[in-house]
Amino acid sequence: MTEGFDPKPLITAVFVPSAIFGIGQGAGAPVVALLARELGASVPVAGVVVALVALGAVIGDLPAGSIVARLGERRAILAGTAVGTVGVLVSLTAWTPAVLAAGAVLTGFANAVWGLARQSYLAEAVPIERRARAMAAFATMWRLGFFLGPFLGAGVIHLVGVRGGLAVQAVGVVLSGVLMARAPDLGRRTDAGTGERTHTSLGTILRRHRRLLGTLGVGSLLMGAARASREAVLPLWASHIGLDAATVSIVFGIGGAVDLLCSYPAGQLMDRYGRRAVAVPSLLVIGVAFLILPVADDLASLAAVAVVLGIGNGLGNGVIMTLGADTAPPATRAEFLAAWRFTHDTGMFVGPFAVGAVATLSLAAGALTVGGLALLGAACMFRFVPRYSPWPRRTLEQVAPAEPALHNITSTLGHVCVSDCSSPKVGDWTSSASTPPTSGR
């Protein structure tokens, strides 16, 4: 247990709201395409409407940093809740596919602000030696909610029709926002000498962190593409081998349950063995699953692939959020995290479209392409993620004589952060009760 850190307030202020938010998302996600079809959209148009939620998140990622930096995490969550509520209500009352599309974009935009504010809050509130577990717990609660949401939504849909899923989502957005807004403000870094809050432009952030975003950020993008493609490739392949929709739902449920079981242990592994020890195996497992998918020709073999994908996805739970928090400079944390999240969300948006483009030639080729991208992402993560190890809480003066290597971090990302990204130096990590990054040895 970290001295002076009490995780209990995070339960009601962060983790429970995350589960409620996930319930709403899980209830609403399956019905967007169905509602689009009900409003007269073709199958391709309905698919585009679903993708617009991800597009809204990509659009919202970059301004979200300035919003959180200027308003603070708590007020940014309130703003995101307001926009998200409007977005869901627009979708709920939509009378044409175009109106539904507008609601989807608003919802995705709000999700970006909401998600960044929560991630920034945890990065600030939790000591680094417990950070991965906190991020993994946060993501696990969301996944638990997303897993349960369709069941709750199904009951409401049975009573009021397909829009019932969006009604559950609206309640989830409002309730989770109200609960998260109860979290105390942590206070933001101020500019030395002026006492005013500092704000950094997006252009400055991108220039300052261009090497990190162009190296580790590529791994983040590829992980996002591999994760999102699972939701497109698996059902398409199931249909290709002749399985019905109900059977596909069961296969997804099995994979989702395995994903959930692997989610929280991922955080413990990261805190104990480092981020690379989780990021690389996660992408390797996902890549192998996609590569063997073309040989799955019946229910049993497809279920086995779904389980392998669940293991890979669950194993990587929280790793992108944790890496972002690790590399974010404290003075511009929110702005950096916005640019960082943009890499992953762009991958999640582009991945399914890339699969669709390749699948016009061959669905098997689409699966193999995603598998190759996942393996490339694993190579990026292995090359650019630094190792972390648990350290006794010692001051810099005590550490420096015994371990001079701290002043010349030898992992690639260590060089990038210290020399190019204005990330915390060794003294920043050791000046508080936090665990510093070690060398790549």
Side-chain angles (χ1 to χ4, degrees):
M1 180 72 179
T2 303
E3 184 179 353
F5 172 66
D6 182 11
K8 292 180 181 178
L10 296 178
I11 296 175
T12 56
V14 179
F15 300 137
V16 171
S18 180
I20 294 173
F21 191 81
I23 288 174
Q25 295 286 297
V31 306
V32 173
L34 298 177
L35 181 56
R37 292 285 290 148
E38 189 177 276
L39 294 173
S42 64
V43 172
V45 170
V48 170
V49 171
V50 173
L52 288 177
V53 177
L55 177 61
V58 171
I59 294 172
D61 275 330
L62 297 179
S66 295
I67 293 171
V68 174
R70 294 178 182 279
L71 299 181
E73 287 84 357
R74 180 173 165 274
R75 285 189 289 177
I77 287 169
L78 289 174
T81 299
V83 175
T85 302
V86 171
V88 177
L89 290 178
V90 168
S91 297
L92 179 62
T93 59
W95 59 93
T96 67
V99 175
L100 181 62
V105 173
L106 283 174
T107 300
F109 187 96
N111 289 349
V113 176
W114 223 87
L116 175 61
R118 291 175 299 172
Q119 182 184 3
S120 179
Y121 187 90
L122 278 178
E124 186 75 23
V126 180
I128 189 174
E129 59 264 36
R130 297 178 63 91
R131 176 179 289 162
R133 278 169 286 181
M135 294 290 184
F138 166 68
T140 299
M141 292 299 287
W142 183 90
R143 292 185 186 203
L144 175 62
F146 195 85
F147 178 72
L148 298 175
F151 298 100
L152 178 59
V156 179
I157 291 169
H158 179 71
L159 296 175
V160 303
V162 68
R163 296 177 191 258
L166 293 172
V168 174
Q169 184 177 2
V171 173
V173 169
V174 173
L175 184 56
S176 58
V178 169
L179 289 175
M180 184 68 184
R182 297 171 58 194
D185 279 322
L186 298 173
R188 301 198 58 77
R189 297 282 288 254
T190 58
D191 184 40
T194 67
E196 298 179 353
R197 291 182 177 181
T198 59
H199 305 294
T200 305
S201 69
L202 173 61
T204 300
I205 290 292
L206 293 176
R207 287 193 301 272
R208 185 180 298 168
H209 303 282
R210 61 188 178 276
R211 285 187 61 194
L212 188 147
L213 295 173
T215 52
L216 186 59
V218 173
S220 172
L221 186 149
L222 292 172
M223 177 171 274
R227 285 172 164 176
S229 297
R230 178 184 65 155
E231 299 179 6
V233 174
L234 205 59
L236 288 174
W237 190 260
S239 176
H240 174 70
I241 63 176
L243 300 181
D244 58 39
T247 303
V248 174
S249 296
I250 293 173
V251 170
F252 257 87
I254 293 171
V258 174
D259 185 332
L260 191 62
L261 289 174
C262 295
S263 292
Y264 184 70
Q268 296 177 309
L269 290 172
M270 277 190 281
D271 276 337
R272 183 168 184 179
Y273 298 107
R275 287 41 163 161
R276 182 162 56 182
V278 166
V280 175
S282 170
L283 281 166
L284 287 176
V285 172
I286 291 174
V288 168
F290 276 116
L291 292 178
I292 64 175
L293 180 62
V295 302
D297 56 1
D298 56 20
L299 175 60
S301 56
L302 184 67
V305 172
V307 167
V308 175
L309 281 171
I311 293 172
N313 201 52
L315 189 61
N317 179 50
V319 68
I320 297 299
M321 291 193 299
T322 304
L323 283 171
D326 287 344
T327 54
T332 55
R333 189 188 305 277
E335 295 93 333
F336 173 84
L337 289 178
W340 174 252
R341 289 173 65 92
F342 179 77
T343 62
H344 187 258
D345 289 349
T346 298
M348 296 196 72
F349 175 65
V350 172
F353 280 93
V355 170
V358 178
T360 58
L361 302 175
S362 165
L363 185 56
L368 294 175
T369 298
V370 177
L373 291 176
L375 296 181
L376 180 59
C380 283
M381 291 296 191
F382 181 81
R383 177 69 177 85
F384 297 115
V385 175
R387 292 183 182 178
Y388 288 80
S389 64
W391 278 44
R393 290 188 296 274
R394 294 175 286 175
T395 65
L396 180 61
E397 290 74 23
Q398 293 172 312
V399 173
E403 305 196 62
L406 275 175
H407 295 281
N408 185 21
I409 300 174
T410 59
S411 73
T412 301
L413 183 58
H415 284 303
V416 171
C417 288
V418 172
S419 64
D420 184 55
C421 301
S422 300
S423 291
K425 305 295 191 295
V426 175
D428 294 324
W429 294 88
T430 55
S431 60
S432 61
S434 299
T435 303
T438 72
S439 72
R441 299 189 183 94

